[in-house]
Every structure is written in structure tokens, then in C-alpha cells.
Amino acid sequence: MEKLVIDCSGGARKAQLVNMLVELLDEEQRAAFAREFGALGVPGLAGEFDGEGRFVVLSDGLTEAEARHEHKHEHRSLEDVCVIVASSGAPPSVAADAMGVYGVLAEAEAKAHGADVAHVHFHEVGNDFAIGNVVAFCMLVDALAPGRVEATPIATGFGFVDCAHGRLPIPAPATANILEGMPHFAGDVEGELCTPTGAALVRHFAEAFVE
């Protein structure tokens, strides 16, 4: 692939971005991707295609919505996440990209909380679903092997979002930190269209932005 353009006109959320790339694969490539993701050595982590052909990351057999209902939470440091990624069995280039994405997240969280990167503890962005989707996205970019990655300006949505840190404006502080210097707009949809993880994926991979 000569060039990959990530369409962020509808936002940038982790599962949304993963499935944007899945749509570019043929049936054989999708099957290979699912096998490779399933072979990752992350305890409890799996993935499947749902009835609509969308790839869904599972943790201990639960979807992210089900896990949220069960109040399953993880609090991980950047080092914790990097250990999980490094031991996952993902190809070195994929692991390096995933850790690069988490480096972006850690710097944004550190700035938002006035803390050192080493003292940052991830909440939602460090759970199994976030790690799984980040690795999946990195695997897909690696499989597509574009010569260049670009993105369109990012729709953020507007209003407020409830998270582990309470009720926050959209874009949330960490997301806003990642978006600095990147073209983005609120749009006319109330709600969080761009999450920290989605913004970090675009920040890490996009070499330029196009209208």
C-alpha cells in the first residue's frame, strides 16, 4: 500500500480505528489477522468477528461493555503495559509501535496530572481492551505496510464524559494534550468521539494531515 489515510471525520476511538483498517483486508487477510491476534500470549485476551463482521476484543470472554457493567478495573503503569506488550509475542515492530502509542498516552496523562511519566497510572486506557485494540491496530498497520500514513482532521464531539477521574469536559484533558498541534474540531455531535487512546494512535502513526 502506497498510502494509508485515516478518516477521523467521525472521531477517533480505538475499536473504530481498528475496524476501519479491518475493512481494508480481504477474507484471507482477515483470517490471518484473527489467528495472529488469537496467538498473542496475553492471559485472558482474545478477539472475534461479530455478526456484522466487526472485530471485537474480549477479556476473559467479556466485551468491554460487559466488563464495564461488571465493574472490572485495572490500574497499570507505563512499565506494566510495556511488560504486557513485550511478552505478548507480537512481532518486534508491532510491539515497538504499541509501546510508542503508550508513551504518547503516558506523557499526556502526566501533563494532565502534573506528575512524572513514571508515576502515571492508567485507568481505562490501560485495561485489557485498550491494550488489545492498540496492539490490533499496530498489527493491522504492519500487515498493510503503507509507505505513508496520513489522517484527516479529528472530530472530538462536545459536552462531558464520565470516567475514572469523574466528570470531564470533552475533549478530556489527556485527549486535549495529545491533540495539541493536530487539526481537530468539535463538530455537531454531543458525546466523546475522540478518546485518549484513539488520539494517541493517530498521533503516533500519522505523518501529515489532509483535508
Side-chain angles (χ1 to χ4, degrees):
M1 177 180 289
E2 182 178 340
K3 182 169 69 173
L4 170 66
V5 178
I6 305 171
D7 182 2
C8 301
S9 60
R13 291 169 289 193
K14 56 186 186 292
Q16 170 194 19
L17 294 175
V18 166
N19 280 285
M20 195 178 296
L21 299 193
V22 165
E23 291 178 1
L24 300 178
L25 304 180
D26 59 31
E27 289 302 315
E28 184 176 337
Q29 291 172 319
R30 289 188 185 199
F33 162 65
R35 286 195 303 272
E36 291 169 10
F37 188 86
L40 293 176
V42 181
L45 193 67
E48 65 181 21
F49 285 98
D50 65 17
E52 298 180 355
R54 290 178 56 82
F55 187 74
V56 180
V57 171
L58 305 174
S59 175
D60 294 326
L62 299 176
T63 65
E64 188 167 10
E66 291 168 339
R68 193 178 298 119
H69 181 72
E70 295 286 332
H71 304 292
K72 291 172 69 70
H73 299 289
E74 289 117 343
H75 303 283
R76 291 171 171 148
S77 67
L78 176 61
E79 182 179 1
D80 293 333
V81 173
C82 287
V83 168
I84 291 171
V85 172
S87 61
S88 69
S93 59
V94 171
D97 277 328
M99 286 187 267
V101 172
Y102 270 96
V104 172
L105 283 165
E107 290 179 6
E109 291 282 0
K111 182 177 180 180
H113 297 289
D116 294 331
V117 169
H119 297 149
V120 166
H121 278 81
F122 298 125
H123 296 277
E124 292 93 344
V125 301
N127 66 26
D128 289 347
F129 304 99
I131 294 172
N133 277 289
V134 167
V135 173
F137 189 86
C138 295
M139 290 173 66
L140 289 163
V141 173
D142 189 68
L144 292 166
R148 180 177 175 83
V149 179
E150 298 179 352
T152 65
I154 304 170
T156 64
F158 66 91
F160 295 88
V161 61
D162 294 315
C163 65
H165 296 296
R167 191 168 177 80
L168 300 174
I170 295 172
T175 306
N177 289 339
I178 296 170
L179 291 172
E180 285 184 6
M182 299 165 66
H184 59 279
F185 61 99
D188 56 5
V189 176
E190 185 172 3
E192 187 181 36
L193 299 183
C194 178
T195 62
T197 309
L201 286 166
V202 178
R203 163 72 75 179
H204 178 76
F205 282 102
E207 301 167 59
F209 284 82
V210 295
E211 294 296 333

